Amino acid sequence: MMTPTELYALAPFIWLSVGVIVLMLQIAFSRSLNGACWVTNLTLLVALYSMVGHDPAGIQVTPLMRIDALGLMFCAVIICGSVVTSLLARDYLKQRPAENEEFFLLLLLATLGACVLVCATHVASLLLGLELLGVALYGLIAYPEKGERSLEAAIKYLVLSGAASATLLFGFALLYAATGTMDFAILADKLDTIQVNSNPIIVLTAAAFILSGLAFKLSVAPFHMWTPDVYEGAPAPITGFLATVSKGAVFVVLLRWFIDGQLYEFRGIILGLSAVAIASMLVGNLLALRQDNIKRILAYSSIAQFGYLLVVLIACGTLTESIPLAREAASYYLLAYIITTLGATGLLTLLSSESARERDHIGDIVGLFWRRPLLSLGFTVAMLSLAGIPLTAGFIGKFYIFKIGADAELWALMSAVIVGSGLGIFYYLRLVFNMTKNPRQVHALPQQTSLEGRSVLLLLTLLILALGVYPQPLMDYLSAIL
Amino acid sequence: MLQNTVLIPLLPLLSAVILIATAGRLPKRLVATLGAGSVGLSAILVAQLSIAWLDNPVPYSLHLWTWMSVGDFQPGIAFYVDGLTVVMMSVITGVGFLIHLYSTEFMQDDDDYSRYFTYMNLFVGAMLILVLADNLLLLYLGWEGVGVCSYLLVGFWYKDPANGAAARKAFIVTRIGDTAMALGLFLLFTELRTLEIQQLAAAANLQWEPGGNLPILACALLLGGAVGKSAQLPLHTWLPDAMAGPTPVSALIHAATMVTAGVYLIARTHALFLMAPPVMLAVAIIGVATLLLAAFTALNQTDIKRILAYSTISQIGYMFLALGVGAFSAGIFHLMTHAFFKALLFLAAGAVIHCLHHEHNIFRMGGLRTRLPVVFWSFLIGSAALAALPFTSGWYSKDEILLATWTMPWAGPWLWAGGILGAILTALYSFRLVFIVFWGEAKTEPDRQPEWRMAGPLALLCLLSVVGGFIAQPLDQVFPAHQPEHATGAVAWITMGIAILGVIVAYLIYLSKQWSVEAGLNSPGMSRLREFWYSGWGMDRFYDSLFVSPYKTLARIMRNEPIDQLYNGIVQLSLWLHGWLSDQQSGQLRRYAASMVVGLILLVAVLAGAR
Amino acid sequence: MELANLIVIFLFGGLLAWLAEMMMENSARWVSLLTIALCSAYLWRLVGHIPAELFHINPVANQAGTWLMHHQMNWIPRFGVSFELAMDGLSLLLIVLTLFLGVVAVVSSWAEVDHHRGFFQANLLWTLAGVIGVFLALDLFLFFLFWEVMLVPMYLLIAIWGHEGKAHAAMKFFIFTQVSGLLMLLAIIVLVVLSAETLGRYSFSYFDLLQNDLSGGVATMVMLGFFVAFTVKLPGVPFHTWLPDAHTQAPTAGSVLLAGILLKTGAYGLLRFTVPLFPEAALQFAPIAMGLGAAGVVYGAVLAFGQSDFKRLVAYSSVSHMGFVLLGIFAWNHLAIQGAVMQMVAHGLSTAALFMIAGALQQRLHTRDLGAMGGLWHNMPRMGALALFFIVASLGLPGMGNFVAEFLILVGLFQSMPWMAVVAALGLITGAIYSLRLMQEAFQGKPDAHRTLPDFGPLEMTVMIAMVIGLLWLGLYPQPVLDLAQPVINSLTAEVQL
Amino acid sequence: MGGLVVPLEHVLLLAGLLFICGLTGLMIRRNVIFILMSLEVMLNAAALAFVAAGAYWGEPDGQIIFLLILAVAAAEVSVGLGLVLQIQRRFKTLDLDQASRMGG
């Protein structure tokens, strides 16, 4: 039986579920884009508010979920990400008249899935969260009725993501067969005895399968190939959602499984992760070099970014003491990445909201700097943050990576980070450069986007800068709760 | 009186600053007054100073300010005046003023009148600083300063690229020597912890063994500077080309003053050189070799200024010879007399050129004896002094050098023989010039006569060229008391009379044509030899193929940045990888799935393999 | 906080300039000038309040009171990062240079920049802010921050207002500096992590890190991280190839800033951080560093001679001149370091002036190709005379700052490595060769009779003459500059003996 | 631990084979229906492994996960079939290679 405390801990999930039902009913009675949007945002805000006052030490609710600070923080981040997405999506959908209200329904479901995922400590909850997120995303990606690209993207994502889920589950099944538990924390004890007693080959094979599955969701090389197509095909707001919420949630669950299950003790896993990380940094950045589609560039960039982030996990293997720092670093980096990417895709959403066409080609932003200086400045800041230039959140994230890499003496990985960053500069700045091109053709277009879309973007920009200039509060918070 | 020393270099510099600031807006008359007047004032000041100083001939120094002070490296902007300085200043301001005066007429028609006097004044200022400097660093400042002015004046008529080339050649070739000199300065400071000339001498005496490696190296490096500036072998090639500048410039810079700076340097640092006998010998040998080479070349030139240029090289060779054998005051004596008669010759040649529509080729002149009488007499007197005909100024100084040379241990007679051969050749080429230009039939008619501003200086310089030999130089305290002894007897007689022989030969060949040398000269072997001499012993071609062309080729090959190819390679590699990876990104679902499978297999292999 | 205000003034000035131009045409450049004036006045006041005797005290590295000014406050205590700014004679000197060249840059952009003047001036001022930050920051994290941040406005200056190949040049500039910068970041972090073992806490403060006891291979690797970053910026061979492109393509003001001050940040870094932090490793590495310096001197000169683009030629001359700085720093004695400091200042002036002339020519002729020039003295005697002055200054004519610098460096170098000095002295010859070629091709030779070109105007002349006077002053009475730097060098050489 | 009659390894091997079958189908099939079927096979392979492992450890957990997987698979396939209809309508083919436009 569930205690009131546990029920209270689950409040955000309950509110989100309630919101889904309310929204469904609302749509059934009267269709209204604005109404749906407001219900969604209200739900999200209530869910957000319901998280206030939770015990940061965490509480285990059934074996399935652990509502702790890490989970709550990322729930909050996910919910905020959804708010941003829904606000931006409203303008976007207004340009594409159709029955758009279900979009928000799917968005709420995906949010719920992501929130479950970040709190998951068990294979079952992981499976449920992942699939709730995934299935909702299939719908979201395919949402624009007319787009051929989105259809193609959706089916590709569906098939490959399904295969990845199957791989993941097969891995967990093997792990279950070998250890007899599906709970991450208990896994650690079992693995300890196994390592001492018997041949862990089955465990390692299982780990390989699990890592492959998660690697797909994180889109790190060589499981990255779906990313650009899906990003490109998805409607702009969903590209942002996919790149931030979905990936962030999966990384958190990876972090939990990896650290709670003490998988870092296996040298093979560390080695495999290192290879994957280096490959991601190089492949992602290389692929983006001459890409002309901004969404694809962001896709490739995210491949590289998660390659950098994997360093954090690898460091746990070489230096066990760095685990607390690793959690902190991963959280900071993810936060920075999420904010930055939301900002970057937010601009694309805004641009695409001004026309019925997806404006995601590099040609679409030529001269933007002189037409929309403030928006372009925001995008520039986002690019610099992704490139890891100081005064932006991305730099502090990269600083964490360097710090933890130096602690653990991961020189090969550090070299790859440097090479990757060098390559990265090229395409990030290429975007900036294109925005500053054609300075003589200044003709401002009438503003068609709503105020909240623009202010959200501005807010994100300010956040990027704030986290870069004065990171201490967040650092303190993170190191206190983790 | 003595504190006026500062004004001496300052006046011309000030005038230059005014001319720069007014940027050619002043009327020519005012420019002339400023330009020549400032040097004239300096000359008066020098005269006053000399008179005052001769009363009480004690060296004194004048410290203006410390230039830079880093640890014990504290060179000052400070002047040092002794007999040598006084002589040099007198020559510079005296001859310099005459040449300025001459220029006011010579350059009358030039648009860049003001620029010309700016450079000339700057030059005089720098040259004065050079001789006044009490330390080698300040000397180096003057040294480079005159180099730049020389560059500017050689290339004065900048619209002709050939002049620019000559100017650059002059600067760069001397710069090679200057660099050696700079290294010498580094060595001296590193070892002796000072650059002050008098202290250097004292410190060297204390710390260094005569004939040791360090003094030899230091002096050899200083010699490099001297050789470059004074156009001696092997760095002499710039001087003939430097004749591209206006003729008064050649008279001032490339005859009377700057080119003798090398001689001055060695004389100034003689205390060091005396500690390095091998370098002294080298100085003498360079002197003889240069004077012979240049004399042979002068004999075959057709350009009136180039003849004089080679003659200058040759005469400075004599000065080097004097320094090399330790006859410092003889060297400085020849420096002074040479300044007189060579300035005279150049100015006279300038007058010829000026009156003959800028004609340079002596074979297109002729018969000017009657048409330009003032110039003729000037040229004749100058040539007589150059050829060292008895009782001219050149005769006294050259005599002293050759006589001192003879007494030098073991190498003396050989060097002397070289000097004597050079003397014959000098007489030969100088009178060849006189006879061809001033006798014979006229080939070009002069269109004007020099006016007083040109004629006046010529006359004064004639006077000096004749009586210059009687000027007593106050150098007794500057140089070691025991100068080399003079040869006597037959050697002395030969030395004194040999020039007359040269003149007679020249007369027989070029004027009376009693000796027909045409056939001999045109024989294949001889003409090739003449060709060789004409080209200055092929030195230009030699340097060109050894240094200039390779350097240019190197620069041409490298201009596109070989090192950047490395980085371009990285870029190409990245782009190639990008292309390859993009090709993999084909959009086919099956291929994507396959990559995942490959990844899975690899991961399994790595994980299971690296237990 | 006073020191921080120097930076803040520029940040706000930039913003203001941007806004001002939106309000009123052509007002941004005035705002820029005013900002620089304001900052100079502020600096003047600050310096006036410093007790005079402090200028003669050797700043002891870990004794903050011996510095002219010092300020520290917590910033990211989580990692021991603080907002630490300090000024000694060296920084003061370079800041003064920065302010002066800032004015030069604004003036050189006066007529040249014809679109988006406001944003141009903003970037210009932000670059200055970054540079001043670099010269003041003594917390390595903060230092790195400024180091990277100043790239962005500089990048924009080149990328937006540059010439035909601007995209490539700006990108190359950014990538070179960024990649080497990341190496430095890694080195900084490794240094901090390793020092924390003895220090007991993380600290990015220069004073704390000076006490590190790194040795052996680790020290060398960490030192190399710093060295590469600074040498890229300097630029030293073989990391210099970004420079000719960036200089050539940048707008005049950009070239002025790049050559005049951004390069100096590299030299400053070597002097302030690389050698003092890792004396042993630097000692072992010194011959190689000096070899690179000497190679740069000669290599830059040879390539400069081969160029046909005015700005590119000057850019390679910078490579050559900055090679002297590298030599001077690693010779590590009073003379050589003084020379290196002097070279920073003198080269800043002479090269900035040459770039300004190049910019003026480009504006008038619409080309930088030397082949299309010739005889320009005839058309523009004032410009010709100034070009002549700065060309002979840059070839090291005594009486001008560059000579003092090169002579001091070479004398100092001769005392530690005579042969290296001999090789470097070749630069005196090769320097003359390319400098005079530049003069010849551009200003001498046959003038084009059909060309009428406006000569320098009063505004440009004012700045130019200021630079002429500056160089002459540095050349004839450099003592104030030497005295300002001397205490710093005393303490550097006292602590670190190479 | 005796819920399982056959050795666990055998069942896992079978599951593995099924999984590989599914993967192979994914890689070689172009028709979208077959691809979805391959996906089902893979999911079922995982489910089988869970059931076997659950039985091996004598716990109901395996079966529970099996049920979850069934539900998930159904959801995936239903969305998938919806997309198949769209693809057929839009591209007039079920060959995914022909429906692919993006890449690079």
Side-chain angles (χ1 to χ4, degrees), chain A residues 253-338:
Chain A
V253 85
L254 171 62
L255 192 68
R256 276 188 197 279
W257 175 70
F258 189 78
I259 290 179
D260 290 354
Q262 296 183 5
L263 285 142
Y264 47 80
E265 290 185 353
F266 294 90
R267 232 188 90 232
I269 294 181
I270 296 301
L271 211 64
L273 275 180
S274 306
V276 166
I278 292 178
S280 294
M281 298 176 202
L282 297 180
V283 168
N285 284 315
L286 280 171
L287 272 169
L289 282 181
R290 278 194 162 167
Q291 183 52 248
D292 282 337
N293 185 297
I294 301 173
K295 281 187 187 162
R296 291 183 87 89
I297 291 180
L298 288 175
Y300 292 133
S301 142
S302 82
I303 296 171
Q305 298 286 343
F306 277 89
Y308 303 146
L309 189 48
L310 283 181
V311 172
V312 168
L313 297 183
I314 297 159
C316 300
T318 19
L319 195 69
T320 323
E321 294 87 65
S322 61
I323 289 173
L325 185 64
R327 287 170 183 270
E328 184 185 330
S331 308
Y332 204 105
Y333 195 97
L334 266 183
L335 270 175
Y337 168 78
I338 287 173

Side-chain angles (χ1 to χ4, degrees), chain A residues 328 370 403 426 439 469 472, chain C residues 75-78 116 171 202:
Chain A
E328 184 185 330
W370 314 115
K403 167 77 175 65
F426 179 80
V469 175
Q472 180 66 21
Chain C
W75 180 23
I76 312 179
R78 173 84 179 87
H116 302 285
M171 190 68 82
Y202 289 129

Side-chain angles (χ1 to χ4, degrees), chain B residues 23 25 65-73 77 112 115 119 137 140-142 144-145 148 151-152 155 158-165 167-168 171-172 175-176 179 182-183 185-190 193 195 221 551-552 554-556 558-564 567-568, chain C residues 172 176 237-241 244-245 299 301-303 305-308 316 334-335 338 375 377-378 382 388 392 395-399 403-404 407-408 410-411 414-415 421-422 425-426 428-430 432-433 436-437 439-440 443-447 475-479 482 486:
Chain B
R25 280 190 291 265
W65 71 83
T66 303
W67 191 354
M68 50 188 117
S69 156
V70 180
D72 54 359
F73 181 70
I77 302 282
D112 280 330
R115 187 161 63 91
Y119 293 165
L137 196 64
Y140 192 74
L141 183 147
E144 291 286 292
V148 163
Y151 159 76
L152 293 173
Y158 61 84
K159 290 175 189 171
D160 182 356
N163 294 346
R168 271 175 296 148
F171 190 83
I172 291 164
R175 183 87 175 186
I176 294 169
T179 304
L183 287 172
L185 263 56
F186 304 153
L187 178 65
L188 285 174
F189 178 75
T190 306
R193 310 311 296 179
L195 285 179
L221 288 168
Y551 190 76
K552 282 184 174 163
L554 182 71
R556 200 172 48 245
M558 303 230 300
R559 61 172 297 191
N560 288 327
E561 203 36 300
I563 291 180
D564 208 23
Y567 299 107
N568 282 338
Chain C
K172 201 167 172 183
F176 264 82
V237 168
F239 307 115
H240 65 281
T241 63
D245 288 333
Y299 185 85
V302 173
L303 262 78
F305 180 66
Q307 302 307 314
S308 57
Y316 276 110
H334 283 244
L335 285 165
Q338 279 287 19
W377 189 302
H378 178 74
R382 281 203 289 278
L388 175 69
V392 295
L395 67 78
L397 186 73
F403 168 75
V404 174
F407 195 88
L408 286 174
L410 288 173
V411 166
F414 196 89
Q415 300 185 3
V422 173
L426 283 180
L428 299 178
I429 303 169
T430 49
I433 295 175
L436 296 186
R437 174 166 172 264
M439 190 67 208
Q440 173 69 35
F443 290 96
Q444 298 172 344
K446 196 138 192 66
L476 292 174
Y477 189 57
Q479 204 55 39
L482 299 175
Q486 191 59 50

Side-chain angles (χ1 to χ4, degrees), chain B residues 112-416:
Chain B
D112 280 330
Y113 201 63
S114 166
R115 187 161 63 91
Y116 174 82
F117 279 101
T118 311
Y119 293 165
M120 288 292 269
N121 280 343
L122 273 179
F123 171 80
V124 172
M127 190 70 208
L128 285 168
I129 290 174
L130 194 163
V131 297
L132 275 167
D134 95 322
N135 62 65
L136 285 178
L137 196 64
L138 187 60
L139 186 146
Y140 192 74
L141 183 147
W143 187 270
E144 291 286 292
V146 293
V148 163
C149 293
S150 155
Y151 159 76
L152 293 173
L153 285 164
V154 171
F156 179 75
W157 288 311
Y158 61 84
K159 290 175 189 171
D160 182 356
N163 294 346
R168 271 175 296 148
K169 185 175 175 187
F171 190 83
I172 291 164
V173 173
T174 51
R175 183 87 175 186
I176 294 169
D178 297 354
T179 304
M181 178 176 162
L183 287 172
L185 263 56
F186 304 153
L187 178 65
L188 285 174
F189 178 75
T190 306
E191 293 300 324
L192 304 176
R193 310 311 296 179
T194 179
L195 285 179
E196 215 258 298
I197 296 165
Q198 307 305 318
Q199 289 174 10
L200 269 181
N205 270 321
L206 277 177
Q207 295 180 26
W208 281 351
E209 193 86 357
N213 284 334
L214 285 173
I216 289 176
L217 187 57
C219 291
L221 288 168
L222 289 183
L223 175 61
V227 159
K229 202 56 115 191
S230 291
Q232 297 295 291
L233 270 176
L235 296 178
H236 65 286
T237 54
W238 62 272
L239 189 60
D241 287 356
M243 294 301 122
T247 311
V249 169
S250 313
L252 179 62
I253 300 184
H254 304 123
T257 53
M258 185 189 86
V259 284
T260 56
V263 178
Y264 170 77
L265 175 69
I266 295 176
R268 186 44 94 193
T269 55
H270 66 272
L272 298 173
F273 276 86
L274 283 174
M275 299 182 76
V279 181
M280 288 291 274
L281 183 62
V283 173
I285 292 172
I286 287 174
V288 170
T290 311
L291 78 88
L292 286 175
L293 177 144
F296 274 114
T297 311
L299 205 49
N300 287 285
Q301 297 297 316
T302 56
D303 181 319
I304 186 167
K305 285 183 74 180
R306 284 180 86 87
I307 296 173
L308 292 178
Y310 277 109
S311 128
T312 305
I313 296 176
S314 171
Q315 293 304 307
I316 297 170
Y318 277 107
M319 297 176 212
F320 266 61
L321 176 60
L323 299 172
V325 299
F328 297 108
S329 37
I332 296 297
F333 191 28
H334 195 57
L335 186 158
M336 184 182 76
T337 57
H338 173 255
F340 297 150
F341 63 71
K342 191 51 71 57
L344 174 63
L345 279 170
F346 265 114
L347 292 186
V352 171
I353 295 166
H354 185 65
C355 300
L356 250 57
H357 335 283
H358 301 283
E359 180 56 65
H360 280 233
N361 191 335
I362 53 172
F363 290 109
R364 281 193 227 119
M365 301 172 180
L368 295 176
R369 181 163 44 104
T370 49
R371 291 174 179 80
L372 295 170
V374 177
V375 180
F376 165 65
W377 284 109
S378 307
F379 216 101
L380 190 65
I381 292 169
S383 298
L386 172 60
L389 289 183
F391 311 114
T392 60
S393 61
W395 183 70
Y396 291 101
S397 52
K398 197 181 276 181
D399 213 33
E400 228 179 287
I401 293 173
L402 288 173
L403 292 178
T405 306
W406 175 265
T407 58
M408 191 191 179
W410 71 269
W414 294 102
L415 296 171
W416 177 83

